[in-house]
Amino acid sequence: MLITRAVILFMSDTIAAVATPPAKSAIGIIRISGDNAFEITKKVFSGDISEPRKMVTGKMLSEIGEVCDYGMGVFFKAPASFTGEDSAELYCHGSTAVLRTVLSSLFHAGARPAAAGEFTRRAFLNGKMDLTQAEAVIDLIDSETELAAKNAAEQMNGRLGCEISAISASLTSIAAEFYAFVDYPDDEIEQTERDELAAKLYACADSAKALAGTYSSGRIFREGIRVALIGRPNVGKSSLLNALLGTERSIVTDIEGTTRDTVEESLRAGNVALHLIDTAGLRNADTEPERLGIKRSEAAARDADIVVAVFDGSSPLDEYDMQTLDLAKGARSLCVINKNDLGTVIDRSVFGDLPVIEISAKLNTGTRAVVDKICEIFNVSDIPCDGRTLTNPRHASTLNRAEERIRAAADAFGGGIYADLAVSDIEAAINILSEITGNSAQDTIINEIFSRFCVGK
Ligand code: GDP
């Protein structure tokens, strides 16, 4: 079923929820939204909230009218509120007991518990924001680095919606030019006219592709970089991991095969998270657990964004080092020659074009360069965080679908096919793009998006 956003406000029941985390804190905030927000809040809060957007002090009352806290309250008159409805916020002391009491008092007065994301869902349905902005709210809450937060804030401000709308607007105006041709007999359309319109369509397809392409960087904002440390046993993978983390998370021993399973740890490198996966050493495994461990490390290398292949520089490369090198050559990778405190006997030419760094994990020298190199390989400092970097796989895949249809229209029309066939592809692309902003999105998509929110948001 298709949900079309109602820009006209509709009658809505009144919902309430605690908007702050369920933990002891200085302040706890309760949100109320819906047609009866004012009356319901008045029954629970003694302050005079009749003037919208004015914070006032007052008593919080339990459902039997007892004072349970002194705090502040504010009322927002529709449509000038987050949800677009009459809304109120109560600022209590952050005791979970107080918040529970005030909340049940609000329920007693006629509100009902808000579902996860229901405030933002109402904001979306009331036309206060498009779907990209609603999704940016979750991204902002989830963001763990300043760049991710900045990008999400810009998207919340509508930046991404604008980019999508710009492509849609171009397609709409191209479609209008096509309509002029629909009534022409097909052979009367000049090839130069066909080429001109096709070129305009290709430009739109390129814009969609470029925007979708930002997701590979945006995913790094959102999820960080997965780094698999691979190499034969005893080259110093665990020591490198520990040196990077400054802890003793991975067991370091000189008995081969101690890291049987994979160990995952995260560290922050400036504005991105690095998820380091220490894998079992590559070698012929004698025991079943080791064989499993090695399978897992091969899988980790496959799933990682980058492979860090570690070698013991103090001894000549053996067949397992060569296997490591093969894995590294088949992936985005960085080679690390470890144990340079013992001197290096490896001939660097075996690494070919792969980036190589020499370190001593034991002395913790050169290890920072490993992190810096990874960030450099992913161009972390150049990722734009102005809201035009996609962080959401839904946006990227939808844009790819739109691009396909636009290109199909361009190929077909440029190649002499009927104008009305090309128009149907353009219209399909416009529809697909509107799934991103939510102007026409399946309710399953919308439900899925809002189910990822927390209660109170
Ligand atoms: P892994 O099996 O690849 O994880 O290797 P470990 O990190 O467990 O290290 C194996 C052995 O090499 C341990 O005895 C470490 O102390 C030693 N080792 C690791 N890195 C260095 C290094 O940079 N220099 C020296 N001299 N020894 C190291």
Side-chain angles (χ1 to χ4, degrees), residues 65-81:
E66 282 176 355
V67 177
C68 60
D69 194 11
Y70 294 87
M72 307 200 55
V74 60
F75 174 66
F76 301 93
K77 183 89 194 117
S81 70

Side-chain angles (χ1 to χ4, degrees), residues 145-186:
T145 65
E146 289 81 349
L147 283 188
K150 187 164 181 284
N151 195 56
E154 292 288 345
Q155 292 191 352
M156 213 172 69
N157 205 18
R159 182 66 197 254
L160 183 57
C162 281
E163 296 287 319
I164 306 284
S165 302
I167 302 174
S168 271
S170 304
L171 287 174
T172 309
S173 88
I174 298 170
E177 293 185 53
F178 267 87
Y179 292 132
F181 286 122
V182 168
D183 296 331
Y184 275 51
D186 218 44

Side-chain angles (χ1 to χ4, degrees), residues 182-232:
V182 168
D183 296 331
Y184 275 51
D186 218 44
D187 49 5
E188 281 183 24
I189 304 172
E190 298 281 340
Q191 189 58 40
T192 48
E193 287 172 316
R194 285 184 178 278
D195 290 345
E196 259 174 43
L197 278 182
K200 287 184 187 173
L201 284 172
Y202 284 128
C204 286
D206 290 345
S207 305
K209 186 178 178 182
L211 196 53
T214 62
Y215 177 63
S216 58
S217 308
R219 196 177 63 84
I220 290 173
F221 273 160
R222 191 180 167 118
E223 295 169 14
I225 302 172
R226 287 179 67 78
V227 183
L229 302 177
I230 64 163
R232 70 166 161 80

Side-chain angles (χ1 to χ4, degrees), residues 231-240 251-254 257-259 278 338-342 359-363:
R232 70 166 161 80
N234 270 338
V235 289
K237 298 179 295 300
S238 307
S239 304
L240 172 59
I251 317 145
V252 179
T253 70
D254 46 14
T258 39
T259 314
D278 182 10
N338 188 28
K339 308 195 187 183
N340 75 350
D341 52 300
L342 301 176
I359 66 158
S360 167
K362 189 167 189 170
L363 305 182

Side-chain angles (χ1 to χ4, degrees), residues 6 15 35 47 49 66 71 73 95 110 124 127 135 141 164 182 187 193 212 214 225 246 252 260 302 345 426 440 453:
I15 52 172
D35 291 342
I49 54 167
E66 282 176 355
S95 136
F124 164 69
E135 288 170 297
I141 294 171
I164 306 284
V182 168
D187 49 5
E193 287 172 316
T214 62
I225 302 172
V252 179
R260 287 210 176 120
R302 262 198 317 274
V345 298
I426 300 174
S440 73
F453 277 74

